Amino acid sequence: SKDGVADEDKAGAPADYSAFKLPEGMDMDNEALEAFLPLAAESKLTQEQAQTFVDLQTKAVEKTLKKQATMWTDRVAEWTKAAENDEEYGKGEYDKSIMIARSAMRKIGGPNLAKALEDTGTGNHPELIRVFYRLGKAIGEDNLDFGSVNPGSQKSLADRLFPNQGKAT
């Protein structure tokens, strides 16, 4: 076209559709766009009519994403509640047990695992907590045990150096 606007055929469809507007942060699905453009041209949709269909699809995608996010948040909340009521590590001992599990997770998995579990919410899964809780209990805190000394059975240095001296042989 001479004025920079795409020419429309007699039914109103442009020769080429210009870029469609999407909400901020949303990217165009090029595969879906490639499937849509021939249908829009065949249906002789104007740019505005095609944009209406894009807007409709965008709203459907946003609704689906919100529903998935809500479902995931609900799932993580269910896991947390189940973990708090768990017979092995919950029931009033949850906070103490979580400290044991987190300690094991940090020792074994490190900071990248901790971040991944936190970011995804999977660190709240009762069975994952159970695994790290059991590992934490098995690892335990490092304690040195020097044993006990019975002072009554201590031999003198001379008796230890010369155990047979003064004894009849």
Side-chain angles (χ1 to χ4, degrees):
S1 79
K2 295 177 186 173
D3 59 2
V5 177
D7 290 331
E8 295 186 4
D9 67 16
K10 44 189 158 179
D16 288 316
Y17 289 98
S18 59
F20 294 102
K21 295 176 186 148
L22 297 175
E24 188 174 328
M26 185 175 274
D27 294 326
M28 178 60 74
D29 179 345
N30 290 325
E31 192 174 307
L33 181 63
E34 286 178 26
F36 172 67
L37 289 176
L39 294 173
E42 183 181 317
S43 300
K44 300 182 182 184
L45 299 177
T46 64
Q47 180 71 36
E48 292 77 24
Q49 291 169 326
Q51 181 66 51
T52 301
F53 280 101
V54 170
D55 293 343
L56 182 66
Q57 178 63 20
T58 300
K59 287 178 185 172
V61 168
E62 286 177 331
K63 183 178 178 181
T64 300
L65 291 174
K66 284 180 185 177
K67 184 176 180 179
Q68 287 176 340
T70 299
M71 289 173 61
W72 183 251
T73 301
D74 292 347
R75 172 68 53 94
V76 171
E78 289 171 14
W79 289 342
T80 302
K81 185 176 180 180
E84 289 171 349
N85 294 314
D86 187 82
E87 292 294 327
E88 182 177 355
Y89 59 81
K91 299 277 185 185
E93 296 293 319
Y94 180 76
D95 291 337
K96 180 180 171 185
S97 299
I98 286 297
M99 295 303 289
I100 293 168
R102 283 183 182 154
S103 175
M105 186 267 310
R106 283 191 298 270
K107 286 179 183 177
I108 294 169
N112 290 337
L113 178 61
K115 182 168 178 19
L117 294 174
E118 172 112 10
D119 290 350
T120 62
T122 54
N124 294 315
H125 194 286
E127 294 305 317
L128 196 58
I129 293 171
R130 184 180 323 285
V131 166
F132 283 114
Y133 172 73
R134 289 178 180 173
L135 285 170
K137 295 288 277 187
I139 294 170
E141 291 295 321
D142 293 336
N143 294 318
L144 294 176
D145 185 6
F146 294 105
S148 61
V149 177
N150 184 351
S153 66
Q154 286 288 330
K155 294 183 180 183
S156 69
L157 180 59
D159 286 340
R160 286 184 276 153
L161 289 174
F162 307 104
N164 293 329
Q165 186 171 351
K167 296 185 181 170
T169 53

